[in-house]
Short mmCIF file of all heavy atoms in Angstrom, two decimals:
data_model
loop_
_atom_site.label_atom_id
_atom_site.label_comp_id
_atom_site.label_asym_id
_atom_site.label_seq_id
_atom_site.Cartn_x
_atom_site.Cartn_y
_atom_site.Cartn_z
N ASN J 295 0.81 -1.22 0.00
CA ASN J 295 0.00 0.00 0.00
C ASN J 295 0.84 1.27 0.00
O ASN J 295 0.29 2.37 -0.09
CB ASN J 295 -0.93 0.02 1.22
CG ASN J 295 -1.91 -1.14 1.21
OD1 ASN J 295 -2.42 -1.53 0.16
ND2 ASN J 295 -2.16 -1.72 2.38
N PHE J 296 2.17 1.12 0.12
CA PHE J 296 3.04 2.29 0.20
C PHE J 296 3.35 2.83 -1.20
O PHE J 296 3.42 2.07 -2.17
CB PHE J 296 4.35 1.95 0.92
CG PHE J 296 4.20 1.88 2.42
CD1 PHE J 296 3.63 0.77 3.02
CD2 PHE J 296 4.62 2.93 3.22
CE1 PHE J 296 3.47 0.71 4.40
CE2 PHE J 296 4.48 2.87 4.59
CZ PHE J 296 3.90 1.76 5.19
N ASP J 297 3.53 4.14 -1.29
CA ASP J 297 3.88 4.77 -2.57
C ASP J 297 5.28 4.35 -3.03
O ASP J 297 5.52 4.13 -4.22
CB ASP J 297 3.82 6.29 -2.44
CG ASP J 297 2.44 6.79 -2.08
OD1 ASP J 297 1.48 6.44 -2.80
OD2 ASP J 297 2.31 7.52 -1.08
N ILE J 298 6.20 4.26 -2.07
CA ILE J 298 7.59 3.90 -2.37
C ILE J 298 8.09 2.96 -1.28
O ILE J 298 7.84 3.19 -0.10
CB ILE J 298 8.49 5.15 -2.42
CG1 ILE J 298 8.01 6.14 -3.48
CG2 ILE J 298 9.95 4.76 -2.69
CD1 ILE J 298 8.72 7.50 -3.42
N VAL J 299 8.81 1.91 -1.68
CA VAL J 299 9.50 1.05 -0.73
C VAL J 299 10.99 1.10 -1.06
O VAL J 299 11.39 0.86 -2.20
CB VAL J 299 8.99 -0.40 -0.78
CG1 VAL J 299 9.80 -1.27 0.17
CG2 VAL J 299 7.50 -0.46 -0.43
N VAL J 300 11.79 1.43 -0.06
CA VAL J 300 13.24 1.54 -0.23
C VAL J 300 13.91 0.31 0.38
O VAL J 300 13.68 -0.02 1.54
CB VAL J 300 13.78 2.81 0.45
CG1 VAL J 300 15.30 2.90 0.29
CG2 VAL J 300 13.11 4.05 -0.11
N VAL J 301 14.73 -0.36 -0.42
CA VAL J 301 15.51 -1.49 0.08
C VAL J 301 16.89 -0.95 0.46
O VAL J 301 17.73 -0.69 -0.40
CB VAL J 301 15.63 -2.60 -0.98
CG1 VAL J 301 16.46 -3.77 -0.44
CG2 VAL J 301 14.25 -3.08 -1.41
N GLY J 302 17.09 -0.75 1.75
CA GLY J 302 18.34 -0.15 2.23
C GLY J 302 19.24 -1.15 2.93
O GLY J 302 20.01 -0.78 3.81
N ILE J 303 19.14 -2.42 2.55
CA ILE J 303 19.93 -3.48 3.19
C ILE J 303 21.41 -3.24 2.95
O ILE J 303 21.82 -2.79 1.88
CB ILE J 303 19.51 -4.86 2.64
CG1 ILE J 303 18.04 -5.12 2.99
CG2 ILE J 303 20.38 -5.97 3.21
CD1 ILE J 303 17.46 -6.36 2.33
N GLY J 304 22.23 -3.57 3.96
CA GLY J 304 23.66 -3.29 3.93
C GLY J 304 24.38 -3.91 2.74
O GLY J 304 23.97 -4.94 2.20
N ASN J 305 25.48 -3.28 2.36
CA ASN J 305 26.26 -3.72 1.20
C ASN J 305 26.84 -5.12 1.38
O ASN J 305 27.16 -5.80 0.41
CB ASN J 305 27.40 -2.74 0.93
CG ASN J 305 26.88 -1.38 0.49
OD1 ASN J 305 25.75 -1.26 0.03
ND2 ASN J 305 27.71 -0.36 0.64
N SER J 306 27.00 -5.57 2.62
CA SER J 306 27.61 -6.87 2.88
C SER J 306 26.68 -8.04 2.58
O SER J 306 27.10 -9.19 2.57
CB SER J 306 28.08 -6.95 4.34
OG SER J 306 26.97 -6.80 5.21
N ASP J 307 25.40 -7.75 2.34
CA ASP J 307 24.43 -8.83 2.11
C ASP J 307 23.69 -8.61 0.80
O ASP J 307 22.51 -8.29 0.78
CB ASP J 307 23.45 -8.89 3.28
CG ASP J 307 22.74 -10.25 3.36
OD1 ASP J 307 22.83 -11.01 2.37
OD2 ASP J 307 22.12 -10.53 4.39
N MET J 308 24.41 -8.77 -0.31
CA MET J 308 23.82 -8.56 -1.63
C MET J 308 22.70 -9.56 -1.90
O MET J 308 21.70 -9.23 -2.53
CB MET J 308 24.89 -8.65 -2.72
CG MET J 308 24.36 -8.26 -4.10
SD MET J 308 25.57 -8.50 -5.43
CE MET J 308 26.88 -7.40 -4.92
N GLN J 309 22.87 -10.79 -1.42
CA GLN J 309 21.86 -11.81 -1.65
C GLN J 309 20.52 -11.41 -1.03
O GLN J 309 19.47 -11.58 -1.66
CB GLN J 309 22.32 -13.14 -1.06
CG GLN J 309 21.34 -14.29 -1.31
CD GLN J 309 21.85 -15.63 -0.79
OE1 GLN J 309 23.00 -15.75 -0.40
NE2 GLN J 309 20.99 -16.62 -0.77
N ALA J 310 20.57 -10.85 0.18
CA ALA J 310 19.34 -10.41 0.84
C ALA J 310 18.70 -9.26 0.07
O ALA J 310 17.48 -9.19 -0.07
CB ALA J 310 19.65 -9.97 2.27
N SER J 311 19.53 -8.37 -0.45
CA SER J 311 19.03 -7.24 -1.23
C SER J 311 18.32 -7.72 -2.49
O SER J 311 17.24 -7.25 -2.84
CB SER J 311 20.20 -6.31 -1.60
OG SER J 311 19.81 -5.34 -2.53
N ILE J 312 18.94 -8.69 -3.18
CA ILE J 312 18.37 -9.23 -4.41
C ILE J 312 17.05 -9.95 -4.13
O ILE J 312 16.04 -9.73 -4.81
CB ILE J 312 19.37 -10.18 -5.09
CG1 ILE J 312 20.59 -9.40 -5.60
CG2 ILE J 312 18.73 -10.96 -6.22
CD1 ILE J 312 21.75 -10.26 -6.04
N PHE J 313 17.05 -10.80 -3.11
CA PHE J 313 15.85 -11.57 -2.78
C PHE J 313 14.71 -10.64 -2.37
O PHE J 313 13.56 -10.83 -2.80
CB PHE J 313 16.15 -12.55 -1.65
CG PHE J 313 14.95 -13.35 -1.22
CD1 PHE J 313 14.53 -14.44 -1.96
CD2 PHE J 313 14.24 -13.00 -0.08
CE1 PHE J 313 13.41 -15.18 -1.57
CE2 PHE J 313 13.12 -13.72 0.31
CZ PHE J 313 12.70 -14.81 -0.43
N THR J 314 15.00 -9.65 -1.56
CA THR J 314 13.96 -8.73 -1.09
C THR J 314 13.37 -7.93 -2.24
O THR J 314 12.16 -7.74 -2.32
CB THR J 314 14.53 -7.78 -0.01
OG1 THR J 314 15.08 -8.55 1.06
CG2 THR J 314 13.45 -6.86 0.53
N THR J 315 14.22 -7.47 -3.15
CA THR J 315 13.74 -6.71 -4.31
C THR J 315 12.82 -7.55 -5.17
O THR J 315 11.74 -7.12 -5.58
CB THR J 315 14.93 -6.21 -5.14
OG1 THR J 315 15.78 -5.40 -4.33
CG2 THR J 315 14.46 -5.41 -6.35
N LEU J 316 13.24 -8.79 -5.46
CA LEU J 316 12.42 -9.69 -6.26
C LEU J 316 11.08 -9.95 -5.58
O LEU J 316 10.02 -9.92 -6.22
CB LEU J 316 13.17 -11.01 -6.47
CG LEU J 316 12.40 -12.12 -7.22
CD1 LEU J 316 12.04 -11.66 -8.62
CD2 LEU J 316 13.24 -13.39 -7.26
N MET J 317 11.11 -10.18 -4.28
CA MET J 317 9.90 -10.46 -3.53
C MET J 317 8.93 -9.28 -3.57
O MET J 317 7.73 -9.45 -3.77
CB MET J 317 10.26 -10.80 -2.08
CG MET J 317 9.08 -11.13 -1.19
SD MET J 317 9.64 -11.67 0.46
CE MET J 317 10.57 -10.22 1.01
N LEU J 318 9.46 -8.07 -3.41
CA LEU J 318 8.61 -6.88 -3.42
C LEU J 318 7.92 -6.70 -4.77
O LEU J 318 6.74 -6.36 -4.83
CB LEU J 318 9.44 -5.64 -3.08
CG LEU J 318 9.95 -5.54 -1.64
CD1 LEU J 318 10.94 -4.40 -1.52
CD2 LEU J 318 8.79 -5.34 -0.66
N LYS J 319 8.66 -6.91 -5.85
CA LYS J 319 8.06 -6.74 -7.18
C LYS J 319 7.02 -7.83 -7.44
O LYS J 319 5.98 -7.57 -8.06
CB LYS J 319 9.12 -6.73 -8.26
CG LYS J 319 10.10 -5.56 -8.18
CD LYS J 319 9.41 -4.20 -8.09
CE LYS J 319 8.63 -3.83 -9.33
NZ LYS J 319 8.06 -2.45 -9.24
N GLU J 320 7.29 -9.05 -6.99
CA GLU J 320 6.31 -10.13 -7.16
C GLU J 320 5.05 -9.88 -6.33
O GLU J 320 3.96 -10.31 -6.69
CB GLU J 320 6.94 -11.47 -6.77
CG GLU J 320 7.98 -11.96 -7.77
CD GLU J 320 8.56 -13.31 -7.39
OE1 GLU J 320 8.44 -13.70 -6.19
OE2 GLU J 320 9.12 -13.98 -8.27
N MET J 321 5.21 -9.16 -5.21
CA MET J 321 4.07 -8.82 -4.36
C MET J 321 3.22 -7.70 -4.97
O MET J 321 2.10 -7.46 -4.54
CB MET J 321 4.56 -8.40 -2.97
CG MET J 321 5.12 -9.54 -2.14
SD MET J 321 6.10 -8.95 -0.70
CE MET J 321 4.88 -7.98 0.16
N GLY J 322 3.80 -7.00 -5.95
CA GLY J 322 3.07 -5.93 -6.61
C GLY J 322 3.36 -4.54 -6.10
O GLY J 322 2.58 -3.61 -6.36
N VAL J 323 4.48 -4.37 -5.38
CA VAL J 323 4.85 -3.03 -4.92
C VAL J 323 5.12 -2.15 -6.14
O VAL J 323 5.89 -2.53 -7.03
CB VAL J 323 6.08 -3.08 -4.00
CG1 VAL J 323 6.53 -1.67 -3.62
CG2 VAL J 323 5.76 -3.89 -2.74
N GLU J 324 4.51 -0.97 -6.17
CA GLU J 324 4.54 -0.15 -7.37
C GLU J 324 5.90 0.46 -7.65
O GLU J 324 6.38 0.47 -8.78
CB GLU J 324 3.49 0.96 -7.25
CG GLU J 324 3.38 1.84 -8.48
CD GLU J 324 2.27 2.85 -8.39
OE1 GLU J 324 1.47 2.77 -7.45
OE2 GLU J 324 2.21 3.74 -9.25
N HIS J 325 6.55 0.99 -6.61
CA HIS J 325 7.82 1.71 -6.84
C HIS J 325 8.85 1.26 -5.81
O HIS J 325 8.72 1.53 -4.63
CB HIS J 325 7.59 3.22 -6.74
CG HIS J 325 8.69 4.03 -7.33
ND1 HIS J 325 8.74 4.38 -8.66
CD2 HIS J 325 9.82 4.55 -6.77
CE1 HIS J 325 9.84 5.09 -8.89
NE2 HIS J 325 10.51 5.20 -7.77
N VAL J 326 9.89 0.58 -6.28
CA VAL J 326 10.93 0.05 -5.41
C VAL J 326 12.26 0.74 -5.71
O VAL J 326 12.72 0.74 -6.85
CB VAL J 326 11.09 -1.48 -5.58
CG1 VAL J 326 12.23 -1.99 -4.71
CG2 VAL J 326 9.79 -2.19 -5.25
N VAL J 327 12.85 1.34 -4.69
CA VAL J 327 14.15 2.01 -4.81
C VAL J 327 15.16 1.21 -4.01
O VAL J 327 14.90 0.85 -2.85
CB VAL J 327 14.09 3.45 -4.28
CG1 VAL J 327 15.46 4.12 -4.36
CG2 VAL J 327 13.05 4.27 -5.04
N CYS J 328 16.31 0.91 -4.60
CA CYS J 328 17.29 0.03 -3.95
C CYS J 328 18.65 0.69 -3.79
O CYS J 328 19.18 1.29 -4.72
CB CYS J 328 17.46 -1.26 -4.75
SG CYS J 328 15.94 -2.18 -5.01
N LYS J 329 19.20 0.53 -2.61
CA LYS J 329 20.59 0.92 -2.36
C LYS J 329 21.50 -0.15 -2.96
O LYS J 329 21.28 -1.35 -2.74
CB LYS J 329 20.83 1.04 -0.86
CG LYS J 329 22.28 1.22 -0.46
CD LYS J 329 22.44 1.09 1.04
CE LYS J 329 23.91 1.10 1.44
NZ LYS J 329 24.10 0.87 2.88
N VAL J 330 22.50 0.27 -3.72
CA VAL J 330 23.42 -0.70 -4.33
C VAL J 330 24.87 -0.32 -4.03
O VAL J 330 25.17 0.83 -3.69
CB VAL J 330 23.21 -0.80 -5.86
CG1 VAL J 330 21.82 -1.30 -6.17
CG2 VAL J 330 23.47 0.53 -6.55
N SER J 331 25.75 -1.31 -4.18
CA SER J 331 27.16 -1.09 -3.88
C SER J 331 28.06 -1.16 -5.11
O SER J 331 29.24 -0.82 -5.03
CB SER J 331 27.63 -2.12 -2.86
OG SER J 331 27.38 -3.44 -3.34
N SER J 332 27.51 -1.63 -6.24
CA SER J 332 28.33 -1.77 -7.44
C SER J 332 27.46 -1.76 -8.67
O SER J 332 26.23 -1.92 -8.59
CB SER J 332 29.12 -3.08 -7.39
OG SER J 332 28.24 -4.20 -7.45
N ASN J 333 28.08 -1.59 -9.83
CA ASN J 333 27.33 -1.64 -11.09
C ASN J 333 26.72 -3.02 -11.32
O ASN J 333 25.61 -3.13 -11.85
CB ASN J 333 28.26 -1.28 -12.26
CG ASN J 333 28.65 0.18 -12.26
OD1 ASN J 333 27.92 1.02 -11.74
ND2 ASN J 333 29.80 0.49 -12.83
N LYS J 334 27.43 -4.07 -10.92
CA LYS J 334 26.90 -5.43 -11.06
C LYS J 334 25.63 -5.59 -10.22
O LYS J 334 24.63 -6.12 -10.69
CB LYS J 334 27.96 -6.44 -10.63
CG LYS J 334 27.48 -7.88 -10.69
CD LYS J 334 28.57 -8.83 -10.21
CE LYS J 334 28.07 -10.28 -10.22
NZ LYS J 334 29.14 -11.21 -9.72
N HIS J 335 25.70 -5.13 -9.00
CA HIS J 335 24.54 -5.17 -8.09
C HIS J 335 23.37 -4.40 -8.71
O HIS J 335 22.23 -4.88 -8.72
CB HIS J 335 24.96 -4.56 -6.75
CG HIS J 335 23.95 -4.71 -5.66
ND1 HIS J 335 24.10 -4.10 -4.42
CD2 HIS J 335 22.76 -5.37 -5.59
CE1 HIS J 335 23.07 -4.41 -3.66
NE2 HIS J 335 22.23 -5.18 -4.35
N ALA J 336 23.65 -3.23 -9.25
CA ALA J 336 22.60 -2.40 -9.85
C ALA J 336 21.96 -3.10 -11.05
O ALA J 336 20.74 -3.10 -11.20
CB ALA J 336 23.18 -1.05 -10.28
#
């Protein structure tokens, strides 16, 4: 129900960041903003 969801998980846990982002989009979150540590991560 939120306008924006920010994934601010620490840089040391890229796997958690990836999984959470995928889960949010599958749940139907409209706008997801993610903190990243590298171009590969992005």
Side-chain angles (χ1 to χ4, degrees):
N295 298 322
F296 282 77
D297 298 306
I298 301 171
V299 177
V300 179
V301 180
I303 297 172
N305 294 340
S306 61
D307 200 346
M308 187 185 299
Q309 182 177 350
S311 170
I312 293 169
F313 178 79
T314 303
T315 301
L316 176 61
M317 181 174 59
L318 290 170
K319 296 309 293 185
E320 289 182 341
M321 289 165 58
V323 175
E324 183 175 351
H325 197 87
V326 177
V327 178
C328 303
K329 171 189 173 184
V330 298
S331 56
S332 66
N333 289 334
K334 178 181 178 181
H335 189 187

